[in-house]
Amino acid sequence: PLFADNGLNDGYDTALYFPCDVLQTKKIVERTFPLKDPDGNFMNKGLRFLFTTRSKTPILLKEDNSSEVYGGDYTFVPGKDEIIREGTAGYIVTFGDAVYRCLDAVVNLKKEGIDIGLINKPTLNIVDQEMMEQIASSPMCLVVESLGIKTGLGSRFGSYLLMTKHAQSGGVIAKFGQLATHHEGGGGLWEQAYHQGWDSDSVQAKVKSMLGK
């Protein structure tokens, strides 16, 4: 999907969106696909790609286990990363059908006393500078995705970390890791996550390894 970005700075932006559940999908469509705002002004210029999963994914819940993360008054902001769970031990960065698996991993890790956070990145090809600074200065960053390990978000994310003000000023950068598709397999099947190693148990094991647990 990242190859759909035209990569040019002097033309209209190309936005790549990958929501994580049906509620966020609805919000992204409502925000990004109208060509004009209510006052008649042009908006959402350029190409927009909205990627969806082949199978249903669970609706994400907040920490109270009853309120929907993307229900109610949630407003989608193009280009902004979203913190689903805060954490002091570092962050898992993910999107699409990997989010609910990572959320399960985060919930279980917190029960074990590992305070890992979770960030959803629904806009794949726009760098949220403010969030990148927060991630760069944290203990660790693990990118988990269903895309290819050599061509997905994780293949670029390390460079994003190096370009942060935190890194440029000589700060210690977050320890970086990646879980993504790296074997031949059957896309669209739930077994794919386990086959490729980005299921909840694999994510938990990777986090513990990165933190020396």
Side-chain angles (χ1 to χ4, degrees):
L2 293 178
F3 289 117
D5 187 338
N6 63 27
L8 302 176
N9 294 326
D10 57 352
Y12 290 131
D13 291 333
T14 301
L16 311 179
Y17 303 118
F18 205 142
C20 63
D21 68 14
V22 66
L23 297 179
Q24 187 176 43
T25 302
K26 180 176 184 292
K27 296 287 187 176
I28 291 178
V29 170
E30 291 173 347
R31 170 61 180 82
T32 63
F33 276 79
L35 294 178
K36 294 183 179 181
D37 64 20
D39 297 323
N41 300 311
F42 281 101
M43 58 188 292
N44 298 318
K45 295 180 180 180
L47 295 174
R48 287 97 68 206
F49 291 86
L50 177 63
F51 302 99
T52 60
T53 60
R54 297 184 186 182
S55 303
K56 293 181 180 179
T57 57
I59 291 177
L60 301 189
L61 299 179
K62 297 180 181 179
E63 293 186 62
D64 60 10
N65 287 324
S66 60
S67 305
E68 298 161 339
V69 173
Y70 295 111
D73 58 356
Y74 166 74
T75 300
F76 175 71
V77 179
K80 295 296 292 182
D81 299 345
E82 303 164 348
I83 296 180
I84 295 179
R85 295 288 192 276
E86 282 284 5
T88 58
Y91 291 96
I92 297 171
V93 180
T94 186
F95 59 88
D97 51 340
V99 177
Y100 79 89
R101 295 178 169 95
C102 290
L103 178 56
D104 183 79
V106 166
V107 169
N108 283 289
L109 288 168
K110 285 181 179 292
K111 290 179 181 178
E112 297 181 28
I114 301 175
D115 188 28
I116 197 77
L118 179 63
I119 294 173
N120 179 25
K121 187 174 180 60
T123 307
L124 300 184
N125 64 325
I126 298 178
V127 178
D128 183 341
Q129 299 291 353
E130 183 179 353
M131 189 68 75
M132 285 304 302
E133 295 294 336
Q134 183 171 340
I135 296 170
S137 59
S138 71
M140 61 151 281
C141 168
L142 174 63
V143 176
V144 181
E145 60 183 315
S146 57
L147 301 184
I149 196 165
K150 293 184 178 180
T151 56
L153 175 66
S155 66
R156 301 184 179 190
F157 212 82
S159 297
Y160 297 160
L161 290 172
L162 290 172
M163 290 187 286
T164 59
K165 293 180 180 179
H166 176 78
Q168 296 293 315
S169 62
V172 177
I173 308 174
K175 184 183 294 186
F176 180 72
Q178 186 181 5
L179 292 175
T181 296
H182 60 286
H183 295 303
E184 185 176 354
L189 303 176
W190 64 267
E191 294 93 343
Q192 176 80 339
Y194 297 89
H195 177 59
Q196 302 293 348
W198 41 271
D199 58 286
S200 176
D201 288 345
S202 297
V203 172
Q204 293 176 60
K206 182 66 172 179
V207 170
K208 291 177 181 178
S209 174
M210 293 177 68
L211 293 175
K213 301 293 185 179

